[in-house]
Amino acid sequence: MARQNSFFKYGILIFLVVVVIAGAYYIYNKYGYARLSPLDAIPANTSAFIVVNQPGQLIGTLAEKNMIWKDLLKSEPLGEFLQMLNYADSALDESSTHEWLNKGELYVVLSGDSAQLSAGILFEWPYGGQESDIDKLVAELQGKSLQKNNMEFGQYKGYSLSDTNGAVVYYMVSHGLAIIGSTPEFMTDCAERIKSGQVLPSLDNFEKVSATAGRNVHANIYINFRRIGEISDRILASAFRDEKQILPEFGSWAEVDLLIKNEEILLNGYTETIDSLYQYLDIFKGQDPQKIEITRILPYNTSLLLSLGFEDFTALYDRQEAYYSNEGIFKSRKSRLETLKRQLGPALEDRMTSWIGNEIALALINPHLRDPQNNSFIAIHARDIEKAVRSLGELSGTSATTHYRGYLISRIPATGLLPVIFGQLFSAVENNYYTRIEDYIVFANSQGSIENFINILLSGKTLKQNENFKRFTDNVSDRSNILCYFNIRNSINMLEDVLSPQWARFVKNNPEVVRNFEALAVQFKWLNNMYFSSVYIKHNPSYINEDLSIWKAYLDAPVYGDPYFVKDHRTNQLKIVTFDTLNNMYLIDHEGNIVWKLNIGEKVISDVHTVDFYKNGKIQYLFNTENRIYLIDLLGRDVEGYPVELRDQATNGLAVFEYDDNKDYRILIALKDNRIYNYDIRGKKIKGWNNPMTKGVVTMPVQHLRVDRKDYIVIADAENNVKITDRRGNPRINLKSKLENGLRSGFYVNETNSKGIILTTDKTGRLVYIKQDGRMETTDFGRFSENHYFLYEDFDNKGGKDFIYLDGNKLTVYDRFKNEMFSHEFENEINSSPLIIPVSAREKLIGVVSEKTGKIYLFDKQGRLLSTPDHRGRTKMLIGSLNRDGQLNMISGSGATIYNYYFR
């Protein structure tokens, strides 16, 4: 009996051994020699890979309630891909891989080179899994049946799934791994890696960062900086990559843990370097992270900030020298440095660096302007600001210095100095205009840029005070060695310029989705003998536009008409006169205070004109309603004799003329009887004026022109009839034929040629020259609608008048030779005249306001847009210096508010 029991036990043991051997033989035949980790099959030329934990659960959770996912679903074509992932999750519900997808790991890999970048996914193939599951998955994603073909990848069997257009996807199952790739090359690289058993490049560094990887996260992302250039070639525009070799030599391996929250993406981990290769991060080795202080002087509209923090600049500079000695990095630096030393002296480096404290930063403002040259700044903290000023002064001398609002602006006479000293990251500033601001030296490419920086600083609108920036940086460490902050929302145009064509198209086609991602911050800091790395992205569809106004003045009701600048004769400062829909008139001072409010009782239909009633230098404000002419003094009182009651209703806004510049004012106004009346400044009718009569109603102000010491009074009615009289209202020019002038076109003294003394446009937009004998000649600029606006001004300050048309949604500017200077198409029709705004003796701008959208557009002579998307207004804008101190203000009204913005 004992022997039988013993035999039975051995029989069971033998049976189990046979079963195990049979199972192993089946697995051997089915899946290969041994089960491997996906890490053992990743191609040696991998640039980056992502280990997604529990991908099924992650996709389900994100698709169900994550706001970032829901927003990206709206984009093209990314939304289609995300929808495919939803389909994939559903397609595998009944497959043998579904449980694993909810619990396992998925490796997403990018590999190859710039000529052939491949993508693939790898995961451990579950026992009992069927290859048909992969067929089913791909067919479900494609929405069609596919042709399956046998292939060989190295020595391993695989397949391609294709449709009538060619191969769609490649895959194989080997060594307990499922490998799916976008190209045959990717599959072959995986096969060779399995066969060779080689380790990944820089394995020591990889193992060091992988040991820091978190476990309870959505994914672990690994970046091989030695090969990151292959990815950057596909992401960044070629012009943006030229001579900027920092990425491939930034570090060795990095690992960051990914957490996706409802409105945030967070990545945290470590980056490692290889000392012998002089990688960029190594210049910060041993440098304690520094507190970011520079935001207290940077402009509020800084959209790109690159800040470097360091404890010891001398040590950092020495390590930077070693980094630039690396072959292929900034090849021309040494020769350029020697050239600069010959120009500026052998002590150049000492004078540029001996005073530096603990922070250097590059800032770009107004990225929507696509003018980085004039909007880039480099700010350097000085541990000894007086020494900094002396040292830089020895380089600049006194040949290029100027004073502006209490600041001294100087220039070092060299080109390309800053990138040679501080590195290619600072190549945006090639010229060396600079000024001292607190304990920083600020560099820019032009004097005007420095002046703009000073104006913003003095307005109090700094980045530190920007509410959106403050809320964003609540999630960003205030200490770092490298901080890169990028305001995505305000940089759509910049993104289109710096991204590769395919990604630029994505941004252009999905602007609203992109804008919902408020900002991005990337940080590195020396910690635990490695470089702690973090990325923070904030998704914020409810982003509140930054209030850029210096001050706001609140009226009792919405603004009516336009605001006007008026001078305070006591202080020489500018004040603002405006009206609201309740017929209130307001005087607002330079600080936004309402000095007084006066109810007029009816709508104002004219501009506000400033006159000197008493001829003693005191200013009053003249305007009219339908029934009265008003003259109000600085204290809000009626001037004696006013208001003047009109004998009939006025149909236009009054015009004020000074024939001989002697303050003997003439006030011309059209009344309902179709006659033009002429009053003196006391409201008395002018004797000898013949009250010329028009056929139609006159709705536009009468114009006064002077040619060769003769006065011409131009009267145009709403039925396209034009009268031109002398000072007494008698005909001065009798037109030989009917002139159907454009109703929104003014009359101007012709300064372009000898075709006539006066010019205007007809209702088709043709330029009409009026000769002294009444004959007319035309010039064709193309066809325009009868509602076009026309201005004739020396816009480019070249001494000749230019021709400016605004018709519908298109602004076009021609020079005196009929060459198009620039044109701009607006998103909607514009229903107000463009304005010519002189901002200096050398520069004028064209201003356009969209009443429909509340957007303000300001163009320079090159057609560049100077206003920001956050400048809002629905009235004519005013630009001038309220305090007469050099800082320009831009005034506009919207709703019941008058806004004062800084300008420049």
Side-chain angles (χ1 to χ4, degrees):
M1 183 60 113
R3 289 183 178 180
Q4 288 181 343
N5 288 337
S6 177
F7 178 80
F8 180 76
K9 291 178 182 179
Y10 286 121
I12 293 294
L13 179 61
I14 292 170
F15 175 77
L16 292 174
V17 169
V18 170
V19 168
V20 170
I21 292 173
Y25 180 75
Y26 174 79
I27 294 171
Y28 170 86
N29 281 299
K30 181 69 176 177
Y31 299 115
Y33 297 100
R35 292 189 65 84
L36 299 177
S37 162
L39 192 60
D40 299 319
I42 289 175
N45 59 355
T46 290
S47 302
F49 66 93
I50 305 172
V51 182
V52 184
N53 300 309
Q54 301 176 346
Q57 287 187 13
L58 179 60
I59 292 171
T61 301
L62 294 178
E64 180 180 352
K65 58 184 179 181
N66 186 268
M67 295 304 298
I68 297 176
W69 183 283
K70 292 181 186 299
D71 208 5
L72 291 177
L73 279 175
K74 303 172 188 175
S75 65
E76 297 292 342
L78 183 58
E80 296 177 9
F81 172 74
L82 297 181
Q83 194 63 57
M84 285 172 59
L85 292 182
N86 287 338
Y87 292 153
D89 190 50
S90 301
L92 291 175
D93 270 346
E94 303 301 324
S95 75
S96 58
T97 59
H98 183 256
E99 182 180 356
W100 170 84
L101 280 172
N102 280 326
K103 298 180 180 179
E105 293 180 337
L106 186 74
Y107 283 60
V108 181
V109 181
L110 292 174
S111 68
D113 53 37
S114 57
Q116 180 70 63
L117 189 64
S118 302
I121 60 174
L122 298 86
F123 53 89
E124 294 182 3
W125 190 246
Y127 289 120
Q130 302 297 314
E131 290 173 354
S132 60
D133 288 339
I134 298 179
D135 303 344
K136 177 183 176 183
L137 169 62
V138 177
E140 184 75 20
L141 296 181
Q142 293 293 322
K144 62 184 76 172
S145 59
L146 300 173
Q147 176 67 43
K148 185 175 182 178
N149 299 299
N150 294 325
M151 294 194 71
E152 294 287 336
F153 303 117
Q155 65 182 39
Y156 302 110
K157 179 182 177 181
Y159 307 93
S160 69
L161 293 173
S162 61
D163 60 15
T164 55
N165 296 321
V168 175
V169 72
Y170 305 88
Y171 76 90
M172 67 180 179
V173 177
S174 179
H175 289 73
L177 298 176
I179 303 173
I180 306 174
S182 63
T183 63
E185 290 79 9
F186 179 85
M187 304 301 295
T188 301
D189 289 343
C190 289
E192 290 179 355
R193 176 83 199 290
I194 292 171
K195 180 182 178 182
S196 69
Q198 293 177 347
V199 298
L200 286 175
S202 306
L203 182 63
D204 291 341
N205 297 88
F206 173 79
E207 289 183 341
K208 191 171 181 180
V209 297
S210 64
T212 68
R215 297 293 177 259
N216 297 317
V217 294
H218 291 135
N220 306 102
I221 301 176
Y222 295 86
I223 299 171
N224 181 0
F225 280 107
R226 302 304 310 282
R227 301 196 62 87
I228 198 66
E230 281 72 21
I231 297 178
S232 67
D233 287 349
R234 298 302 183 94
I235 297 175
L236 301 176
S238 58
F240 188 74
R241 301 192 313 268
D242 289 347
E243 293 190 9
K244 293 179 173 65
Q245 303 295 326
I246 185 173
L247 276 178
E249 302 301 335
F250 187 76
S252 177
W253 277 96
E255 186 279 332
V256 287
D257 303 330
L258 170 66
L259 278 174
I260 305 175
K261 298 186 176 181
N262 193 40
E263 297 282 9
E264 297 173 314
I265 299 174
L266 300 100
L267 300 101
N268 292 289
Y270 283 89
T271 302
E272 184 57 304
T273 59
I274 302 173
D275 287 344
S276 60
L277 295 181
Y278 303 115
Q279 293 168 330
Y280 185 78
L281 268 182
D282 270 333
I283 72 173
F284 298 95
K285 190 169 186 177
Q287 299 270 3
D288 286 341
Q290 300 296 301
K291 189 171 183 180
I292 303 161
E293 297 279 5
I294 205 163
T295 57
R296 60 185 163 88
I297 69 161
L298 291 180
Y300 69 93
N301 55 351
T302 296
S303 286
L304 174 64
L305 167 62
L306 175 64
S307 173
L308 306 185
F310 37 82
E311 185 181 22
D312 181 351
F313 182 77
T314 301
L316 181 137
Y317 193 72
D318 290 342
R319 282 186 164 270
Q320 180 182 268
E321 290 286 305
Y323 168 70
Y324 281 124
S325 69
N326 198 351
E327 184 178 355
I329 300 176
F330 207 167
K331 297 178 182 179
S332 63
R333 180 177 183 270
K334 187 175 181 179
S335 61
R336 288 168 64 180
L337 181 58
E338 290 304 315
T339 300
L340 288 167
K341 284 183 177 180
R342 287 193 294 272
Q343 180 180 352
L344 298 172
L348 170 63
E349 289 177 278
D350 181 70
R351 288 172 177 165
M352 286 294 297
T353 64
S354 61
W355 46 267
I356 292 178
N358 62 356
E359 192 174 13
I360 300 175
L362 168 69
L364 176 66
I365 69 172
N366 291 329
H368 68 285
L369 298 182
R370 288 182 167 169
D371 185 15
Q373 181 175 10
N374 289 315
N375 288 286
S376 295
F377 302 91
I378 293 173
I380 306 174
H381 176 254
R383 56 184 169 82
D384 185 341
I385 191 64
E386 299 300 334
K387 181 177 181 180
V389 171
R390 289 195 306 272
S391 296
L392 295 177
E394 290 170 349
L395 296 173
S396 63
T398 59
S399 58
T401 61
T402 186
H403 290 272
Y404 182 75
R405 302 189 71 186
Y407 291 85
L408 178 67
I409 302 173
S410 305
R411 179 177 182 265
I412 300 172
T415 301
L417 171 62
L418 296 175
V420 169
I421 298 296
F422 301 115
Q424 288 169 294
L425 288 174
F426 299 94
S427 59
V429 178
E430 285 285 315
N431 300 322
N432 311 300
Y433 290 88
Y434 70 90
T435 192
R436 167 188 174 176
I437 294 180
E438 297 183 11
D439 52 348
Y440 287 87
I441 299 294
V442 176
F443 288 90
N445 281 308
S446 69
Q447 177 181 322
S449 296
I450 293 286
E451 291 175 356
N452 187 23
F453 194 104
I454 292 168
N455 288 337
I456 302 173
L457 179 75
L458 294 180
S459 75
K461 292 292 182 178
T462 63
L463 188 60
K464 187 175 182 178
Q465 300 303 319
N466 184 311
E467 290 299 325
N468 290 303
F469 179 78
K470 287 195 287 187
R471 284 192 292 269
F472 177 84
T473 50
D474 283 343
N475 298 280
V476 177
S477 172
D478 66 348
R479 291 182 178 273
S480 64
N481 293 119
I482 301 176
L483 165 67
C484 181
Y485 162 78
F486 181 59
N487 188 315
I488 301 170
R489 181 179 180 85
N490 293 336
S491 307
I492 298 297
N493 290 345
M494 180 181 175
L495 282 172
E496 292 181 25
D497 291 338
V498 304
L499 293 177
S500 62
Q502 60 268 37
W503 282 105
R505 282 194 298 272
F506 175 83
V507 172
K508 186 174 183 179
N509 294 336
N510 302 280
E512 294 307 317
V513 172
V514 176
R515 282 194 186 95
N516 283 345
F517 287 87
E518 177 183 336
L520 157 76
V522 181
Q523 285 184 295
F524 296 90
K525 56 184 175 182
W526 177 251
L527 184 67
N528 300 326
N529 291 317
M530 297 177 70
Y531 298 93
F532 181 77
S533 314
S534 64
V535 179
Y536 175 63
I537 302 172
K538 185 172 183 178
H539 179 259
N540 186 12
S542 58
Y543 178 96
I544 299 174
N545 285 336
E546 183 72 12
D547 184 358
L548 307 185
S549 60
I550 299 172
W551 53 251
K552 297 186 289 289
Y554 299 100
L555 312 184
D556 291 351
V559 179
Y560 179 79
D562 297 316
Y564 302 90
F565 275 146
V566 295
K567 188 174 78 170
D568 185 334
H569 54 263
R570 300 169 304 181
T571 65
N572 203 38
Q573 293 171 328
L574 292 180
K575 287 184 167 58
I576 299 157
V577 166
T578 193
F579 301 87
D580 69 17
T581 56
L582 294 178
N583 303 322
N584 292 313
M585 176 183 183
Y586 300 84
L587 182 69
I588 303 170
D589 69 14
H590 63 284
E591 294 181 340
N593 301 309
I594 295 176
V595 180
W596 49 255
K597 178 180 69 173
L598 177 68
N599 191 269
I600 301 301
E602 55 182 330
K603 302 296 183 192
V604 175
I605 63 173
S606 73
D607 290 339
V608 174
H609 303 270
T610 55
V611 298
D612 184 354
F613 179 85
Y614 297 105
K615 298 185 179 181
N616 62 359
K618 295 181 179 181
I619 302 299
Q620 299 83 36
Y621 317 128
L622 181 71
F623 56 90
N624 72 282
T625 63
E626 284 187 345
N627 298 299
R628 300 176 184 86
I629 299 175
Y630 288 85
L631 187 61
I632 307 295
D633 70 11
L634 183 63
L635 300 178
R637 302 171 302 190
D638 290 322
V639 174
E640 59 183 279
Y642 282 88
V644 173
E645 296 285 340
L646 298 171
R647 64 186 302 272
D648 204 344
Q649 284 189 338
T651 60
N652 71 345
L654 60 81
V656 183
F657 307 147
E658 276 186 90
Y659 293 125
D660 300 309
D661 197 26
N662 58 2
K663 298 184 180 179
D664 285 333
Y665 301 100
R666 295 293 180 263
I667 302 169
L668 272 69
I669 190 168
L671 300 185
K672 204 172 182 179
D673 61 2
N674 287 5
R675 289 189 179 275
I676 309 300
Y677 293 85
N678 196 341
Y679 300 89
D680 65 17
I681 193 60
R682 295 187 176 274
K684 307 299 182 183
K685 289 183 181 179
I686 298 297
K687 293 180 180 180
W689 174 260
N690 292 325
N691 298 336
M693 187 173 185
T694 60
K695 292 181 180 180
V697 176
V698 176
T699 58
M700 301 300 292
V702 174
Q703 287 187 252
H704 168 244
L705 305 176
R706 176 165 284 187
V707 183
D708 296 332
R709 298 185 180 181
K710 291 183 178 180
D711 297 294
Y712 296 81
I713 309 299
V714 184
I715 307 164
D717 67 28
E719 296 178 10
N720 302 111
N721 301 297
V722 177
K723 282 181 177 288
I724 303 177
T725 76
D726 61 14
R727 286 190 187 189
R728 292 183 174 274
N730 298 317
R732 169 140 274 171
I733 296 179
N734 291 309
L735 300 179
K736 302 300 183 183
S737 58
K738 183 177 177 60
L739 168 59
E740 293 188 318
N741 76 296
L743 296 178
R744 294 171 167 177
S745 176
F747 292 80
Y748 303 89
V749 176
N750 178 23
E751 299 180 19
T752 300
N753 50 43
S754 59
K755 292 182 178 182
I757 62 172
I758 297 173
L759 64 79
T760 186
T761 61
D762 67 16
K763 66 179 184 179
T764 67
R766 288 184 304 179
L767 202 63
V768 179
Y769 298 96
I770 302 172
K771 300 178 185 295
Q772 203 157 9
D773 62 5
R775 291 180 298 124
M776 290 180 283
E777 190 172 331
T778 63
T779 297
D780 199 341
F781 278 83
R783 291 303 178 200
F784 298 89
S785 77
E786 62 181 336
N787 292 318
H788 71 272
Y789 294 93
F790 171 74
L791 300 178
Y792 179 61
E793 298 276 355
D794 181 12
F795 172 54
D796 60 8
N797 271 7
K798 291 184 177 179
K801 294 293 183 72
D802 305 303
F803 306 92
I804 301 159
Y805 287 85
L806 175 59
D807 191 21
N809 72 332
K810 187 174 183 179
L811 172 70
T812 311
V813 181
Y814 301 93
D815 67 15
R816 61 179 299 185
F817 303 109
K818 297 177 64 174
N819 300 311
E820 183 177 307
M821 294 166 60
F822 75 87
S823 65
H824 181 88
E825 291 192 18
F826 303 95
E827 57 191 283
N828 56 273
E829 184 175 349
I830 305 297
N831 290 306
S832 60
S833 176
L835 302 168
I836 302 297
I837 305 170
V839 294
S840 72
R842 305 182 305 274
E843 183 181 17
K844 296 174 184 173
L845 303 178
I846 293 179
V848 176
V849 174
S850 170
E851 186 176 348
K852 181 176 180 180
T853 64
K855 290 185 179 179
I856 293 173
Y857 302 88
L858 294 169
F859 302 93
D860 66 8
K861 63 185 178 182
Q862 283 82 34
R864 294 177 300 191
L865 182 63
L866 303 184
S867 50
T868 78
D870 294 324
H871 285 137
R872 313 292 291 180
R874 297 182 186 275
T875 69
K876 176 181 72 176
M877 84 287 294
L878 307 170
I879 293 181
S881 180
L882 285 174
N883 286 322
R884 299 297 179 97
D885 59 358
Q887 177 178 339
L888 293 177
N889 306 92
M890 181 167 71
I891 307 297
S892 186
S894 182
T897 307
I898 298 294
Y899 294 89
N900 173 21
Y901 299 106
Y902 91 93
F903 182 75
R904 299 269 185 102

